Each structure stands twice: as C-alpha cells, then as structure tokens.
Amino acid sequence: MSIREIAREAGTSISTVSRVLNDPGYKCRSEELRDRIREVAMEHNYTPNPAARFLKAKTPEKLYYINVLMARTDQTQTDPFFSELLRVIETQIRKNTCILSHVWYMPICSNENKCARLDMDREIDAATGLNINSPDEEFDGLVIVGKCCDKALNAWKKRCKHIVSINRNSTTKLVDEVTCDGMKIAMTAVEHLASLGHTQIGYIGSCHHEARYRGFQAALHQAGLELIPDYIVETDQTERMGYEAMEELTLSDDRPTGIYCANDITAIGALKYIQKNSRKHYHPSIISADDIDDAGYTKPMLTTVRLPRDEMAYFAIMILMDRLNKNHTSICRMEFEGTLMVRESCRPPGDDDWSGYSG
C-alpha cells in the first residue's frame, strides 16, 4: 500500500501521512488523526520506502515539503511555457532534497474580476482540500507560477508563510518574487518591429490588467506611432485563439504589417493560420515572448523575447530555501532581463521576397 492510499483512507494529506510514519517525534494536528494514520498503515502492513528513509538520513537539515500553485493555467496546459517552467521547478526542488507534495492549478487566481467577486478562502479550500479553520495539510513552502492577483495572494498567505512567486509581473511586494518584467519584454518586441521600419503594429493577447499590453502601448508611444484599435485583438493566449485572431486580422480591410503576440503559443497559432492561407498574400512580421522549446521549430522560425526560465526557477527555489532556513525575513525581489532572439518571422514591411510561409 502506498502513502497516497493511506492518506486517502485516513482522510488526510500525503505529506501528513509521510511525516507521521517517518518521524516518530512529529506532532500531528491531533492525536486522533495520528492514531488513525498508524492504524491504517498497520492494517495494510505498510513498510516505509527505504529510499525515503535514506533521503531523510542523508539530509542534514529539516526535510521541507514544497507545493506549487499554477496560477495562470489549468491542467490542460494550454501554454507550454508554464509546463516547461514547472519541470525546471520540480528538478530544483529535488536537488534541494525537498519533497514536492502537490501541484495545484487555479487560473482563477490570475483573474482580477473573478477574484473580486468570489470568496477566495472558500475557492482555495475547495480546489486544494485545505481548510483554513482547521487545516490537516501541513506544508512548508509554496511556489506560485504566473500572475496572481492581490486578493488571491493574501488568501494564500494565510495558509503559508513562506512563498515565492515566479512571474512576468510584480506581486506588489507581498511575497518574495523572481520576475522578468512583462512590460519590458513587450517593449523590446515592439521596438524590434519599429527598428525594421514597421509603423502599423498590431497586438494579439490579453489586455485587461496585462503588463505586456501596457508595454505594447508604451513602446508605440515612445516610437511616435499611433495605436490603432482595429489592430488589437483581445483574446485568450492559446494556440487556437492565436489562429482565430490572425484570421480576424487577415479578413480586415486595414491590416498591420507587424504583430506582437503576448506569448509564443499564441504566435504559433497565428503562424499556422498564415502558412495555411499563404495564397492570401498577407505575411505580416510576427514577434512574441517566452522562447518555448517549439519556437525554434516553427515555419518560419519565430522571433521572440526569451525569458530565462531555468535561471528564474533556480533562484526562486534558492530564495525560498533561504527564507525557510530563516536567513532572510524582508521581502526580496529579483528581476531578470529578457533577451531578443532574432529568427525568421520578422522582416521589413513590404519584404515579401522570402519563402518562410511556403510549403
């Protein structure tokens, strides 16, 4: 019988079961719960995993249980950037001899309007199985991946004192954070289009409370270019939505020559539409942000602004471990710069003498 099955039968969490069975001195929330866990384990002749005992013996400090909140995507993983980032986070957690207890997906945490209307304490408890009034789930640290609005963040702070955020946007100094500023990323992308001579520049992506849209606006203003509402397609940032947004722009009488997509997967959708409909002879320059693994395999290869996800994950876990070990108490913030990755999907306006969309 596994720890997971014991947890299910005892009506508690995996981390609580692990602590009770592997640490005789662990003080559980209640004697009744501890006795129930041990009773279930004895009934099924549970034997602790030797590898887990070895890990415990070889760890000089406290063994920490870390959870991850995916605040901008659901389990369908419509944005590969977040799934790629999660893999790096998992690796870093293991390298620090910590245990990843749970990965929770709550895109509602990034939605300002929904958070304002809802009781976030109730939403979090329902989605995670936590109970703020009588918690039976103990964990030491939380990594929040993606945008998380203040109301949701404050609700999470009631459940965990040690939180680090990895994001494109600042968390307004509520928790430790590692960022790659979304506004600066967008400005870098739009400035590249402007440097190629584009004056009619569009945008595909989220607009409401979105740093990348603010960066798009700021870059146009800085370059002395007009923001044309017909060139803006507000949409969810998925491949399908990028495809449909590109169709909408293609069918318009007045079309941008260059387009900034808020993330790579949206841009990939746009490129697929252009390639499929290449006979319509509308081949705008496309630029985006993230530099996911697929960005170098599109046709044409996608020009994008790279977010250093490996470095962001590495330092996020370092900061979390430092806080867990009580080496810092003040809120800290680390910001990385994006890097422009110039490939094939951006050309000067009117330069159609290339075969990037053919075949």
Side-chain angles (χ1 to χ4, degrees):
M1 188 179 210
S2 68
I3 285 181
R4 183 183 298 276
E5 291 168 322
I6 293 173
R8 187 184 303 116
E9 189 166 331
T12 187
S13 68
I14 295 172
S15 59
T16 298
V17 171
S18 178
R19 283 174 167 142
V20 168
L21 297 180
N22 290 292
D23 184 0
Y26 173 66
K27 294 182 179 179
C28 192
R29 175 174 61 87
S30 72
E31 290 295 324
E32 182 183 349
L33 176 60
R34 184 176 66 180
D35 291 344
R36 186 163 70 249
I37 291 170
R38 289 176 174 170
E39 183 180 340
V40 171
M42 289 175 64
E43 285 177 358
H44 296 278
N45 297 315
Y46 172 77
T47 302
N49 189 318
R53 291 204 307 271
F54 176 78
L55 175 62
K56 183 79 174 178
K58 298 294 286 185
T59 305
E61 299 181 5
K62 185 177 187 286
L63 184 63
Y64 293 115
Y65 289 77
I66 310 297
N67 292 338
V68 176
L69 170 67
M70 305 298 287
R72 187 130 195 187
T73 184
D74 59 23
Q75 286 179 288
T76 60
Q77 290 291 288
T78 51
D79 188 344
F81 174 76
F82 290 114
S83 56
E84 291 171 11
L85 182 56
L86 177 59
R87 287 199 297 270
V88 184
I89 292 169
E90 290 173 332
T91 299
Q92 292 302 324
I93 288 174
R94 288 196 299 271
K95 283 184 177 179
N96 282 275
T97 59
C98 296
I99 293 176
L100 175 59
S101 301
H102 292 92
V103 178
W104 293 309
Y105 294 84
M106 287 192 68
I108 190 176
C109 289
S110 66
N111 190 311
E112 298 275 355
N113 291 333
K114 288 184 179 180
C115 281
R117 296 194 305 267
L118 296 172
D119 181 340
M120 288 309 297
D121 286 324
R122 183 179 298 174
E123 293 294 324
I124 290 171
D125 289 350
T128 64
L130 300 174
N131 188 326
I132 192 171
N133 296 317
S134 56
D136 69 350
E137 169 76 23
E138 295 90 359
F139 62 97
D140 302 296
L142 178 67
V143 182
I144 298 179
V145 181
K147 176 183 175 182
C148 188
C149 70
D150 289 359
K151 185 177 178 181
L153 198 53
N154 280 315
W156 277 104
K157 287 181 68 178
K158 299 176 189 176
R159 292 156 176 81
C160 186
K161 296 179 180 178
H162 309 115
I163 300 176
V164 65
S165 168
I166 307 178
N167 197 6
R168 303 183 186 99
N169 309 285
S170 173
T171 54
T172 60
K173 301 181 181 178
L174 291 175
V175 297
D176 292 339
E177 61 182 354
V178 176
T179 69
C180 190
D181 193 303
M183 185 169 180
K184 292 180 181 178
I185 291 167
M187 292 185 72
T188 299
V190 176
E191 286 165 2
H192 179 65
L193 289 175
S195 72
L196 293 173
H198 292 276
T199 58
Q200 298 171 288
I201 300 176
Y203 173 87
I204 298 175
S206 299
C207 297
H208 188 62
H209 293 290
E210 183 53 64
R212 282 166 288 180
Y213 182 61
R214 293 197 302 273
F216 168 78
Q217 293 173 302
L220 290 182
H221 178 75
Q222 187 173 300
L225 300 178
E226 182 182 359
L227 189 155
I228 301 174
D230 288 346
Y231 294 172
I232 311 300
V233 182
E234 182 170 10
T235 183
D236 292 337
Q237 291 158 190
T238 66
E239 181 177 327
R240 196 186 94 172
M241 293 297 101
Y243 186 97
E244 292 179 2
M246 195 65 243
E247 180 179 27
E248 181 179 334
L249 288 173
T250 300
L251 296 176
S252 175
D253 293 332
D254 186 18
R255 305 179 294 198
T257 61
I259 300 169
Y260 168 58
C261 295
N263 65 354
D264 285 347
I265 195 63
T266 305
I268 288 172
L271 289 175
K272 285 184 176 180
Y273 179 84
I274 296 169
Q275 185 176 15
K276 185 176 180 180
N277 299 274
S278 59
R279 292 181 180 179
K280 295 184 178 180
H281 304 293
Y282 176 47
H283 302 156
S285 289
I286 302 290
I287 190 169
S288 58
D290 288 343
D291 197 28
I292 62 174
D293 292 342
D294 287 344
Y297 299 97
T298 58
K299 190 176 180 69
M301 287 191 292
L302 181 62
T303 296
T304 186
V305 181
R306 177 182 178 269
L307 275 68
R309 65 170 185 262
D310 290 15
E311 294 93 332
M312 291 171 73
Y314 172 79
F315 280 102
I317 300 303
M318 281 192 63
I319 290 170
L320 182 58
M321 295 301 299
D322 193 69
R323 180 173 285 279
L324 286 167
N325 290 317
K326 298 181 171 55
N327 292 324
H328 80 277
T329 56
S330 300
I331 300 297
C332 71
R333 181 172 185 265
M334 179 179 290
E335 181 178 328
F336 285 87
E337 295 295 319
T339 303
L340 179 65
M341 308 297 291
V342 178
R343 298 191 179 107
E344 300 172 346
S345 64
C346 290
R347 306 282 287 192
D351 183 359
D352 292 327
D353 186 24
W354 55 305
S355 58
Y357 290 108
S358 64

